[in-house]
DNA sequence: TTTAACTGTTAGATTAGTCTAACTTTATTA
DNA sequence: TAATAAAGTTAGACTAATCTAACAGTTAAA
């Protein structure tokens, strides 16, 4: 049995490695920052997680997940995203309200519950933020995606997900009418401060790099992020 | 904010007083037994609950809930029973599977979640075990009910709820085909050991007092437990 | 290559919730 | 009423998760 806290460490490690293209291991400070605890606390906990064969790690070394740890972390992500989908689809929560509650619900462990929920929702592929939901085996389709900040002037793309799940960001996105699957065109971009003018449904908005870096997009025609020849 | 543990103390106090006809206060030992902890632990916790004005209590005295404590305890019961209903109605859990999971889900606090769930389930009045669900204000219709053990030979009654929520008991009830709203007739009862022969849907079963004391019934015609003149 | 900056570890303290063992108060029974 | 039993409290200890402060190891710069 894993405690809430252990599960949070594993989930965060999944986010920091599995979901971070090209990153296989992290340091104590980075993990501590992402968990909002002090490095000393992480050092301690790592001993316990290593004891349970959930992480690969040695003193002063880098941290990575074992297969077992990765699976456990993936299951937390699965539960989180299924609950978000439930709240959004069935209880009429908005996409900026679901994350906080899912942080708690994700720790209620029961395969029967979570697989029942999956079936009840008719096996959704994505959560309300456009993130893929791992299946019962902990497998997930890791998509190649660009961020909106990588798109050039004059080009169009399709929003598939958001990186930031914070209330602030999501409510701002709502305010300018942005939705998953929308098409965005880059109208202009300042070299100086990267302020970008975008076009959504015939309306223009000036947005910051903080915004454009938080939006995942693919080619609006073929759905690919890399090697698209449309 | 109340911790899981504090919520469990309050919920148990509600069960031991509010839901126990004629009982207004309990002792440390009884509370300890019901929470599966030692009396010393309860003594400690009572200081904290008193500090927060959730219980009335003084050293070596009896324990009762304040209005505030009662409301908080009722909300835990509300969450518990709504989750049981959700699992039973929407995720196809059987009535002997829901209790354990609801013990965890009941501690996820969010009015929006719980009132949303209530609405989604179309404001159910009873949980799968026949127990009334408190409303959003913590109010509940406390029914007068007898236990099956109080019914005389030759009389019939209608099952409205079960007292025991344990897997063992509920699976046994399933095995003999017992369901909420069934009509039961007392065929015979031994003075010696209170073994009782009952009739459900034209089948006879011999059951123990442990069983008959765990079944709540009312008059099969008027639905009353007391003062029925049918 | 030596120092400075950064990264990570350890020691000691704290809090919540629990326990056992010893003690105190209240209730019951002889 | 005095002895005994039952109920309840307190002291001291433990675990998990956290912190701060001091220390140690690693990396990068001067
Ligand atoms: Mn989320
Ligand atoms: Mn999400
Ligand atoms: Mn229950
Ligand atoms: Mn129930």
């Amino acid at each position: 049995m894993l405690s809430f806290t252990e599960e949070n460490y594993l989930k965060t490690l999944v986010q920091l490695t599995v979901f971070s293209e090209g990153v296989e291991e992290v340091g104590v400070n980075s993990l501590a920052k992402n968990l909002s605890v002090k490095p000393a606390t992480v050092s301690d906990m790592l001993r316990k997680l290593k004891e349970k064969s959930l992480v690969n790690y040695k003193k002063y070394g880098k941290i990575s997940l074992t297969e077992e740890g990765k699976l456990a972390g993936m299951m937390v992500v699965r539960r989180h995203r299924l609950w978000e989908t439930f709240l959004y689809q069935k209880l009429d929560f908005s996409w900026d309200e679901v994350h906080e509650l899912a942080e708690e619900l994700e720790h209620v462990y029961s395969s029967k519950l979570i697989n029942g929920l999956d079936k009840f929702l008719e096996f959704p592929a994505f959560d309300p933020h456009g993130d893929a939901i791992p299946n019962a085996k902990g497998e997930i389709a890791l998509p190649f995606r660009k961020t909106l900040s990588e798109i050039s002037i004059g080009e169009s793309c399709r929003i598939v997900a958001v990186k930031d799940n914070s209330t602030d960001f999501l409510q701002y996105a709502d305010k300018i009418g942005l939705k998953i699957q929308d098409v965005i065109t880059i109208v202009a971009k300042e070299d100086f401060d990267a302020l970008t003018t975008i076009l959504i449904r015939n309306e223009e908005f000036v947005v910051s790099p903080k915004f454009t870096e938080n939006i995942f997009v693919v080619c609006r025609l073929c759905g690919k992020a890399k090697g698209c020849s449309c």
Side-chain angles (χ1 to χ4, degrees), chain A:
Chain A
M1 260 302 80
L2 298 174
S3 68
F4 277 35
T5 311
E6 290 169 323
E7 286 194 338
N8 281 332
Y9 276 72
L10 296 178
K11 182 185 63 169
T12 302
L13 280 169
V14 163
Q15 283 159 356
L16 258 29
T17 58
V18 184
F19 295 167
S20 259
E21 232 180 304
V23 183
E24 251 88 66
E25 40 181 38
V26 279
V28 168
N29 278 331
S30 156
L31 184 50
K33 197 149 285 168
N34 278 279
L35 284 162
S36 304
V37 297
K38 302 291 167 192
T41 310
V42 169
S43 260
D44 252 3
M45 179 60 87
L46 284 175
R47 232 181 310 109
K48 209 200 309 181
L49 294 177
K50 193 192 161 131
E51 196 62 35
K52 296 193 178 185
S53 304
L54 296 164
V55 298
N56 304 117
Y57 162 77
K58 68 171 74 111
K59 254 202 337 186
Y60 293 106
K62 291 290 176 186
I63 311 155
S64 65
L65 286 165
T66 62
E67 273 309 303
E68 198 186 336
K70 182 182 157 189
L71 178 61
M74 276 299 194
M75 293 317 284
V76 182
V77 172
R78 170 170 163 80
R79 297 196 292 260
H80 183 106
R81 294 181 178 173
L82 280 173
W83 278 118
E84 286 190 340
T85 307
F86 170 73
L87 296 172
Y88 185 79
Q89 288 186 5
K90 303 295 179 179
L91 303 194
D92 300 319
F93 276 61
S94 54
W95 73 341
D96 59 290
E97 294 172 317
V98 298
H99 181 79
E100 198 187 345
L101 248 180
E103 285 294 320
E104 299 202 38
L105 289 163
E106 72 189 6
H107 300 294
V108 176
Y109 175 73
S110 155
S111 345
K112 184 159 167 104
L113 167 63
I114 222 63
N115 295 333
L117 196 60
D118 199 11
K119 184 181 172 193
F120 180 62
L121 298 169
E122 297 174 71
F123 307 102
F126 301 99
D127 82 4
H129 310 108
D131 292 311
I133 298 173
N135 69 18
K137 292 177 188 158
E139 298 159 345
I140 192 172
L142 284 178
F144 284 107
R145 318 179 281 197
K146 289 179 183 166
T147 61
L148 184 57
S149 58
E150 298 173 67
I151 308 299
S152 317
I153 296 171
E155 286 187 12
S156 291
C157 56
R158 186 180 300 277
I159 301 173
V160 291
V162 293
K163 191 187 273 184
D164 183 354
N165 280 357
S166 74
T167 305
D168 275 0
F169 171 71
L170 295 172
Q171 287 183 352
Y172 177 62
D174 269 346
K175 204 164 70 183
I176 67 174
L178 180 152
K179 288 190 177 53
I180 302 288
Q181 293 305 330
D182 273 358
V183 170
I184 295 191
T185 307
I186 305 292
V187 177
K189 195 189 286 190
E190 286 297 331
D191 284 336
F192 164 56
D193 55 9
L195 278 197
T196 307
T197 307
I198 59 174
L199 188 76
I200 309 180
R201 292 204 216 89
N202 279 321
E203 256 194 287
E204 281 193 3
F205 302 94
V206 178
V207 296
S208 71
K210 191 173 171 193
F211 178 89
T212 56
E213 283 159 15
N214 273 322
I215 308 252
F216 285 121
V217 299
V218 295
C219 169
R220 80 175 196 290
L221 299 170
C222 70
K224 288 182 193 163
K226 283 185 182 162
C228 126
S229 48
C230 302

